Amino acid sequence: MSQQVWAAQALESFDAVVSATEGFRSRAGQRLMAQQVARTFSSATLGKVDEESGEAAPTRSIAVIQAGTGVGKSLAYCAPAIALALSRGTRVLISTATVALQEQLVNKDLPALAALMPQPFKFALAKGRGRYVCKLKLDRLAGTGEAEEEGEDDLFAEEEAAARAKRPRHETEARIQFYSTMAQTLSKGAWDGDRDSLDTPPEPEVWSPVAAEGASCTGKHCPAFSQCTYYDKRKELVGAQVIVANH
């Protein structure tokens, strides 16, 4: 299929969504942006760089677009980009500047778009490891004793004990209660382990001791691996055609 046909079909998908949205009217600036996105993505060639094969390297295609508030940028880039990705049998990665926009796309814009686009697609949210709770750390700090029962070596026990000793007793007790509530909510399935989905996200100094991190994560060797929220979320990315990340 030619680049022109890909671009035309992607723009048709955008027009179809606009027409199917009740009370929504086309905006010249928005359609112009969608048209440019369609042209840019359709002109790129896919593939991996393999110097030994002698084949031509993939061709990049870049567009820098500036649009003001109210133009409808999310629809203008999502609809044609997703349509092209589906047509070409690949995936599209959308990276946002803020977590708020990331959440808006996943919770509002993409569900609405998926209901209107002719081609079905799945989307998933990709966040950094530190946005998710480490169940092993949480259970330990909540005082449940699960980490100790597994015989897990604690590399940071002395540091944590020293930090607790410096804090006022009432603050330490408040933290234990907070962690206990988090652990109970997680075990009941009422919380997905994502810091941002808490009613009141904790301050960094409270979240940091229970946050998942690569340096201390043992992956499949962790006794809580089967209940790890971070790896559960990673699995959702496998079958998604659209991945929404944050840079």
Side-chain angles (χ1 to χ4, degrees):
M1 191 178 295
S2 68
Q3 296 177 4
Q4 291 78 10
V5 174
W6 272 327
Q9 289 182 347
L11 192 59
E12 286 175 5
S13 293
F14 166 80
D15 289 334
V17 171
V18 172
S19 299
T21 305
E22 186 177 354
F24 191 87
R25 61 183 179 82
S26 179
R27 309 167 195 172
Q30 184 186 47
R31 193 175 191 281
L32 186 62
M33 179 176 173
Q35 186 177 42
Q36 183 60 58
V37 171
R39 287 175 178 172
T40 301
F41 281 18
S42 64
S43 63
T45 56
L46 304 177
K48 297 181 179 179
V49 177
D50 187 355
E51 297 179 355
E52 296 181 358
S53 67
E55 297 180 0
T59 303
R60 292 183 177 182
S61 187
I62 300 173
V64 179
I65 303 172
Q66 181 176 343
T69 303
V71 170
K73 296 183 288 293
S74 296
L75 176 59
Y77 63 74
C78 282
I82 294 171
L84 270 165
L86 295 175
S87 296
R88 303 184 68 176
T90 187
R91 302 199 285 180
V92 60
L93 171 65
I94 301 172
S95 183
T96 67
T98 64
V99 173
L101 179 55
Q102 189 182 24
E103 297 280 0
Q104 176 189 314
L105 286 170
V106 171
N107 297 324
K108 180 183 176 183
D109 297 341
L110 288 177
L113 188 59
L116 295 172
M117 283 189 67
Q119 311 100 317
F121 66 89
K122 294 182 179 179
F123 55 89
L125 181 69
K127 289 186 177 182
R129 189 191 299 260
R131 290 279 178 178
Y132 296 100
V133 73
C134 170
K135 188 177 186 302
L136 201 64
K137 292 181 180 180
L138 181 62
D139 287 338
R140 180 184 63 219
L141 293 179
T144 62
E146 291 184 19
E148 288 78 1
E149 289 174 6
E150 296 288 347
E152 185 74 9
D153 291 334
D154 188 354
L155 301 178
F156 308 103
E158 293 183 3
E159 295 178 14
E160 291 174 357
R164 284 197 299 269
K166 294 179 181 179
R167 286 197 297 266
R169 182 175 179 179
H170 71 277
E171 184 178 334
T172 298
E173 292 177 348
R175 284 200 183 191
I176 292 175
Q177 180 59 46
F178 179 73
Y179 292 142
S180 297
T181 301
M182 285 176 62
Q184 292 171 11
T185 307
L186 182 66
S187 64
K188 293 177 181 178
W191 177 46
D192 62 358
D194 183 345
R195 176 186 179 276
D196 300 314
S197 64
L198 289 169
D199 292 336
T200 304
E203 294 297 324
E205 61 269 19
V206 177
W207 176 255
S208 179
V210 296
E213 57 181 3
S216 60
C217 180
T218 57
K220 295 181 179 180
H221 300 290
C222 175
F225 178 75
S226 62
Q227 300 169 291
C228 180
T229 55
Y230 170 69
Y231 280 103
D232 282 346
K233 292 296 183 181
R234 287 287 297 271
K235 293 175 185 176
E236 295 178 5
L237 303 179
V238 176
Q241 288 85 29
V242 182
I243 298 175
V244 184
N246 172 251
H247 56 263

